[in-house]
Amino acid sequence: MMRTRPLKVALLGCGVVGSEVARIMTTHADDLAQRIGAPVELAGVAVRRPSKVRDGIDPALVTTDATALVKRGDIDVVVEVIGGIEPARTLITTAFAHGASVVSANKALLAQDGAALHAAADEHGKDLYYEAAVAGAIPLIRPLRESLAGDKINRVMGIVNGTTNFILDKMDSTGAGYQEALDEATALGYAEADPTADVEAFDAAAKAAILAGIAFHTRVRLDDVYREGMTEVTAADFASAKNMGCTIKLLAICERAADGGSVTARVHPAMIPLTHPLASVRGAYNAVFVESDAAGQLMFYGPGAGGAPTASAVLGDLVAVCRNRLSGATGPGESAYAALPVSPMGDVVTRYHISLDVADKPGVLAQVATVFAEHGVSIDTVRQQGKDGEASLVVVTHRASDASLSGTVEALRKLDTVRGVASIMRVEGE
């Protein structure tokens, strides 16, 4: 039997995502009520610019006083889609203290202060759900912390930023340079006027921290994630990748060490074989590849950003949290019992593609090979081209640690025959 008294929802933020949340709550009100077991009512909308016309939202619900809204005491669920650290952090903890559960899409805040937010939710017996914080509409957080809760996850690797994937895909498919591809992404609305958070991988790093924490039952903060942007990727890098049967993606990679004693989390551009499922992810789409003991290999794919896709994830959380309110239960909270150490990037082992500008004369290859051998880095393949006294030397290694590779490159730079290191890129997905 359906409860007639509605569950009240406060919406913090009414931009691209928030406006879609409000629209779906209104247009799908009857279906949502049936799925939840009670009606849901939009009880207030906190915004910065109250004079802006917002179609479908009663102006009487709009307020600039977000603090007063979350303190009302009759709010069942607060939906936070304003982003950033403050005032979002204070508003969320205030909501818990005044009896509301929270649904958030705030990846930056969760990556930085997820443990404290979970502790506040537990203290007050409330839910904290955040499916929309990673990969937009793709169901990912809940499968990791619920569907795969009985399994052991060893690796999570994925494309979690649509802007960078669009840019790299455009560079790959058309031969465009980075700036040209970025300009097109901006014109189409995929990139912000200031694209730094995307192209320098801050956005993806925050998502990697969240994924690693859930996958490995360990607290992983944003500061634990190695981050390398994709602004230095060139058309020449794509040409080299094609010669290897690869493409280039900005990947978020979270791994459990082979001995199970530590984890790593990193975001950086990488060559990936065209045969790998992630290589076929085009445009602004996201995809995450999960490897576990029992389930094996799984891939989650779909639109990773945008108002309606992200709102879909928010509404899914809203339905789950409202059901919990009705039953007097709470969903899964933070699981950090494993408390595994997060290893530094220097310990990460992978393959490398190194392009060197060298003198075109006898003995150069032998000198370079000697440097690799002295640093314990095994060479898989070498390709050399040259004319008029100058040459390029492309070396692909077997698996080596980041620290050993760094030492190798430093030594290479000291050789008289090496004019410069044109590019270094990791090779993943094999």
Side-chain angles (χ1 to χ4, degrees):
M1 182 176 179
M2 182 178 294
R3 193 181 82 166
T4 56
R5 184 171 64 83
L7 293 160
K8 295 188 176 183
V9 177
L11 179 61
L12 308 183
C14 198
V16 173
V17 176
S19 60
E20 282 295 314
V21 170
R23 181 188 66 80
I24 295 172
M25 285 185 64
T26 301
T27 58
H28 295 180
D30 290 342
D31 285 339
L32 290 172
Q34 292 294 332
R35 294 167 192 172
I36 292 168
V40 287
E41 173 189 315
L42 189 59
V45 182
V47 299
R48 287 184 296 176
R49 296 185 295 275
S51 59
K52 181 180 177 180
V53 176
R54 295 173 172 85
D55 294 338
I57 296 178
D58 183 351
L61 297 178
V62 176
T63 178
T64 58
D65 193 344
T67 300
L69 179 59
V70 300
K71 282 184 174 181
R72 274 180 34 174
D74 65 336
I75 300 297
D76 293 289
V77 184
V78 168
V79 174
E80 183 272 309
V81 288
I82 57 177
I85 305 303
E86 288 291 357
R89 174 170 49 198
T90 298
L91 290 171
I92 288 173
T93 55
T94 301
F96 290 141
H98 287 79
S101 290
V102 173
V103 172
S104 176
N106 196 331
K107 53 190 169 288
L109 178 57
L110 287 159
Q112 178 172 306
D113 289 319
L117 295 179
H118 276 292
D122 290 343
E123 178 186 354
H124 297 286
K126 298 297 179 281
D127 276 324
L128 173 62
Y129 275 48
Y130 42 92
E131 184 67 65
V134 180
I138 304 172
L140 183 59
I141 301 297
R142 200 169 299 143
L144 287 178
R145 71 176 186 175
E146 296 182 29
S147 302
L148 295 173
D151 206 343
K152 178 184 177 183
I153 297 173
N154 297 309
R155 195 177 204 222
V156 179
M157 179 172 75
I159 299 162
V160 295
N161 182 278
T163 300
T164 54
N165 199 58
F166 177 88
I167 293 170
L168 292 172
D169 182 40
K170 186 61 62 174
M171 293 174 70
D172 186 24
S173 60
T174 69
Y178 165 74
Q179 190 60 51
E180 182 183 353
L182 172 60
D183 290 344
E184 182 172 350
T186 303
L188 292 172
Y190 291 125
E192 301 286 346
D194 179 0
T196 302
D198 294 324
V199 300
E200 294 295 351
F202 290 100
D203 174 86
K207 295 170 181 176
I210 295 169
L211 291 175
I214 296 171
F216 307 131
H217 305 279
T218 292
R219 286 179 179 168
V220 179
R221 300 181 74 252
L222 181 57
D223 291 344
D224 296 320
V225 181
Y226 172 83
R227 177 190 57 80
E228 182 182 322
M230 45 78 70
T231 57
E232 301 300 318
V233 177
T234 66
D237 291 325
F238 274 102
S240 294
K242 287 181 179 179
N243 285 333
M244 291 178 59
C246 294
T247 188
I248 298 172
K249 299 292 187 182
L250 183 76
L251 297 178
I253 304 172
C254 311
E255 292 180 303
R256 187 190 300 270
D259 63 4
S262 64
V263 299
T264 59
R266 51 195 165 104
V267 176
H268 53 73
M271 294 182 180
I272 187 168
L274 294 174
T275 54
H276 194 282
L278 290 177
S280 62
V281 178
R282 310 301 297 269
Y285 274 69
N286 284 191
V288 177
F289 200 72
V290 178
E291 300 176 26
S292 68
D293 276 1
Q297 297 179 334
L298 307 169
M299 191 168 95
F300 301 82
Y301 170 85
T310 306
S312 170
V314 171
L315 267 294
D317 279 350
L318 179 63
V319 169
V321 170
C322 285
R323 286 171 174 168
N324 290 343
R325 296 283 288 195
L326 289 179
S327 66
T330 55
E334 183 189 34
S335 175
Y337 73 90
L340 297 171
V342 182
S343 296
M345 186 62 187
D347 293 346
V348 170
V349 175
T350 188
R351 297 178 68 206
Y352 288 87
H353 176 283
I354 305 103
S355 180
L356 304 172
D357 295 326
V358 300
D360 187 15
K361 61 182 184 180
V364 173
L365 180 55
Q367 286 184 328
V368 169
T370 297
V371 170
F372 276 87
E374 288 174 346
H375 288 81
V377 178
S378 175
I379 294 175
D380 183 15
T381 62
V382 178
R383 186 175 71 255
Q384 184 173 6
Q385 295 177 324
K387 63 179 180 178
D388 300 328
E390 297 295 329
S392 63
L393 191 66
V394 175
V395 178
V396 179
T397 74
H398 288 291
R399 291 176 65 82
S401 72
D402 189 80
S404 63
L405 196 282
S406 296
T408 303
V409 171
E410 184 178 351
L412 288 171
R413 294 183 193 275
K414 296 177 181 179
L415 293 178
D416 291 339
T417 52
V418 174
R419 311 293 194 221
V421 180
S423 70
I424 303 171
M425 190 166 293
R426 297 169 183 88
V427 183
E428 301 286 349
E430 293 184 286

